[in-house]
Amino acid sequence: MKTRPVVIYTLFLGALLLATPACHHGKSDSTANANAASDKALEKKYANTLDVSSDDIKNLALYRFVDSWYGVPYLYGGKNKQGVDCSGFSCALYREVYKKNMAGSAATLFTKCKPVKQKDLKEGDLVFFKIGSDKISHVGVYLQNNHFVHASTKRGVVISSLTEAYYNKYFFKGGRPE
């Protein structure tokens, strides 16, 4: 009679082991496949937006960040997804993507950068504008092929081109944070 509980316990453990998924690659493979498909879709989306090859979209952390913030409304002094201004957005991007803490207005950010000519801009450089003033009043983050991401007062977080008449007119300089 004493062996009966041991037999029941052993059968219970056996059933539990059979019911528990084995450590196999099925779930992680499907997750990896879903992530790879998601990354490919992201590459294609931003390659089309920036008019570059999918192979040129290498910094997926940057484009995931842009994608997650795209369309967030503009809010002067804002620093989160409920509302953000140009410097708040640029600082959040740098903190998340490049692991670099920055803070301040567009003008303050410029003082923390090495100036870069427009023709020498690289992905991740900051782009500064003097809009209707002789002072720096707007900042964005350069992507590729004359495109940058920024928090626009009218459209929220968007991608624009330095070749658009408005941005071309007010572009001041690029800057590479030191």
Side-chain angles (χ1 to χ4, degrees):
M1 286 292 214
K2 289 187 175 193
T3 59
R4 188 175 195 151
V6 171
V7 170
I8 292 172
Y9 180 72
T10 304
L11 289 172
F12 173 76
L13 280 178
L16 186 63
L17 285 173
L18 287 173
T20 304
C23 189
H24 65 85
H25 297 291
K27 185 170 184 169
S28 63
D29 280 352
S30 65
T31 301
N33 289 341
N35 288 343
S38 175
D39 287 348
K40 285 293 179 197
L42 195 71
E43 288 170 5
K44 184 176 180 178
K45 175 181 180 178
Y46 286 98
N48 287 337
T49 300
L50 305 175
D51 197 25
V52 297
S53 164
S54 291
D55 294 338
D56 293 326
I57 307 297
K58 293 180 172 69
N59 186 346
L60 292 176
L62 171 62
Y63 294 98
R64 282 186 203 110
F65 183 89
V66 170
D67 209 53
S68 73
W69 281 74
Y70 204 92
V72 168
Y74 180 87
L75 175 65
Y76 181 77
K79 297 181 185 332
N80 59 46
K81 289 186 178 177
Q82 275 59 62
V84 69
D85 67 13
C86 64
S87 59
F89 173 74
S90 297
C91 291
L93 185 150
Y94 255 81
R95 190 171 41 260
E96 179 76 23
V97 176
Y98 297 108
K99 310 303 182 214
K100 188 170 196 163
N101 284 324
M102 298 182 352
S105 66
T108 301
L109 293 176
F110 183 72
T111 67
K112 299 174 183 179
C113 292
K114 174 186 169 199
V116 177
K117 293 178 183 173
Q118 186 172 346
K119 67 180 182 69
D120 296 327
L121 287 168
K122 293 182 179 175
E123 188 176 79
D125 285 342
L126 296 177
V127 287
F128 296 93
F129 302 85
K130 290 183 176 181
I131 300 174
S133 157
D134 62 344
K135 296 178 183 172
I136 294 170
S137 58
H138 190 61
V139 62
V141 179
Y142 188 77
L143 297 173
Q144 298 183 43
N145 196 24
N146 286 312
H147 290 85
F148 66 104
V149 62
H150 62 118
S152 157
T153 56
K154 292 183 178 154
R155 298 178 293 147
V157 175
V158 293
I159 293 174
S160 300
S161 175
L162 293 172
T163 61
E164 292 175 37
Y166 181 82
Y167 294 108
N168 186 47
K169 177 180 177 181
Y170 293 115
F171 178 79
F172 173 59
K173 284 186 183 168
R176 195 160 292 144
E178 298 181 298

